[in-house]
Amino acid sequence: MMKTHIFKNNEAVATAFAEFLQKEIAQAEKINIALSGGSTPKVLFDILAKKYAAKIDWKKVHFYWGDERCVAPTDEESNYKMTDEKLLQHINIPPQNIHRVLGENDPTEEANRYGKLIEWNLFLKDGLPIFDLIILGMGSDGHTASIFPHEIELLNAAETCAVAVHPESGQRRITLTGNVINAAKQIHFLVTGISKTSVIKEIFSEKGNYKTYPASAIKNAEWWMDEGAGAGTL
Ligand code: 6PG
């Protein structure tokens, strides 16, 4: 079942999700979270840094990334860089709790290393590492994490992480694969903007091209949307 939360705008989505996250962390002893890049997480990280720096016990939190671009951590394209600038520099989180993808390394070797690290650190069930919470975005082409429509087979890849290729730029990325995403205890999509309405409409009604959108294969997720994207659920 897909649960939806719809708010006025991007800022309101991020505000509500920050409040939700604070409660989840408060209840946990330790929480393994996979983060996403994208525009709504950017606002979310800002809000967490400004309003929750002192209200969350960051020692309990371990951050991983659901996907990362194969670039150096100083590159503007790096999801780690964005998170570091918006959030990590402003909170009291032990450095050993931050598990970034080494985007500067050889992609195949790094996908392998990062997958092994996740398998080592997380609880395994039926051979799959279990994240407590995964934050995902969705592109207007229906991609999620870095699983794009032209590489939809990554949904069922046997490895925890794989190398993906961005369809337009050819940029390589490291992504969690579909089975690991679907095995998480909680999955939350943060999706905003009218460029997403029609894809949301197809996914929620299971019509049109929905099967070609990797995001549609992520089950039991909660969808946090603004009115633009959320219009597709009506
Ligand atoms: C990335 C993301 C990606 C993103 C979507 C949506 O690193 O590119 O993890 O999957 O979430 O492209 O991005 P927007 O929220 O900016 O539309």
Side-chain angles (χ1 to χ4, degrees), residues 43-197:
V43 184
L44 169 70
F45 298 156
D46 252 338
I47 294 171
L48 287 172
K50 295 202 174 103
K51 293 204 188 146
Y52 293 92
K55 287 192 186 147
I56 289 177
D57 181 1
W58 295 101
K59 288 193 298 302
K60 298 189 208 175
V61 181
H62 281 253
F63 283 133
Y64 295 82
W65 275 262
D67 72 324
E68 179 60 284
R69 291 93 190 260
C70 294
V71 296
T74 48
D75 194 294
E76 285 307 321
E77 283 275 302
S78 163
N79 283 339
Y80 167 77
K81 181 181 201 278
M82 186 273 273
T83 314
D84 185 46
E85 289 176 351
K86 296 273 169 199
L87 178 64
L88 306 175
Q89 290 178 12
H90 312 284
I91 58 175
N92 199 3
I93 184 163
Q96 64 269 24
N97 291 17
I98 299 167
H99 310 273
R100 76 169 179 93
V101 178
L102 305 177
E104 65 274 37
N105 287 356
D106 174 77
T108 308
E109 281 172 24
E110 179 55 14
N112 192 29
R113 183 201 69 91
Y114 199 60
K116 293 271 177 310
L117 174 94
I118 290 170
E119 289 158 22
W120 179 259
N121 287 353
L122 270 55
F123 173 74
L124 299 179
K125 193 176 163 205
D126 302 329
L128 289 171
I130 308 295
F131 279 100
D132 296 305
L133 197 152
I134 299 190
I135 297 173
L136 294 172
M138 184 191 76
S140 45
D141 60 355
H143 83 263
T144 190
S146 280
I147 309 180
F148 293 91
H150 76 288
E151 292 175 331
I152 201 150
E153 67 278 4
L154 294 181
L155 286 169
N156 286 311
E159 299 80 19
T160 294
C161 290
V163 181
V165 180
H166 187 280
E168 278 132 41
S169 66
Q171 180 188 56
R172 281 178 298 173
R173 298 176 167 203
I174 309 268
T175 187
L176 287 179
T177 52
N179 294 334
V180 176
I181 296 175
N182 271 319
K185 287 188 194 155
Q186 292 192 42
I187 307 169
H188 297 276
F189 275 97
L190 305 182
V191 181
T192 55
I194 50 169
S195 67
K196 318 281 172 74
T197 321

Side-chain angles (χ1 to χ4, degrees), residues 1-17:
M1 255 310 284
M2 299 197 273
K3 195 171 165 188
T4 58
H5 311 267
I6 298 173
F7 302 90
K8 187 115 204 107
N9 51 34
N10 195 15
E11 178 91 17
V13 172
T15 303
F17 191 75

